[in-house]
Amino acid sequence: MASQPRKTVAVILDQSLIAEACDFSIDVSHAAEDGIAQAIEAEKERRWRIENAHAIRAEKEYIEKHGLPLANYWQF
């Protein structure tokens, strides 16, 4: 995978966290980037669930009323 262009930013972090990260040889920049990426994915999922709540609710209601499609063909 090709490396994306990077940007230097200033962030304020708890001094004890940085010291402990250094003690464990944790790359703070990489850890911060991973944390931000996880936060972005969580927010995308949260927004998707909100945007699709009606369809999700309708599907659940359909399954409660009619059961799962093709369930009578399952052999387990």
Side-chain angles (χ1 to χ4, degrees):
M1 178 159 120
S3 181
Q4 295 293 321
R6 303 182 78 69
K7 179 177 173 99
T8 301
V9 297
V11 295
I12 299 171
L13 301 171
D14 185 293
Q15 210 171 2
S16 62
L17 285 177
I18 299 303
E20 196 167 6
C22 290
D23 289 344
F24 289 112
S25 300
I26 294 172
D27 180 337
V28 175
S29 293
H30 188 250
E33 191 171 13
D34 286 348
I36 292 167
Q38 289 176 10
I40 290 169
E41 286 304 310
E43 181 61 15
K44 284 180 180 178
E45 181 177 345
R46 186 187 74 80
R47 290 180 183 199
W48 183 90
R49 289 181 183 276
I50 290 169
E51 291 169 3
N52 292 283
H54 177 71
I56 293 168
R57 195 168 33 256
E59 180 182 21
K60 286 182 180 181
E61 289 171 3
Y62 177 89
I63 291 170
E64 287 174 5
K65 184 176 181 181
H66 303 286
L68 289 170
L70 305 175
N72 54 336
Y73 296 104
W74 294 356
Q75 296 182 15
F76 55 87

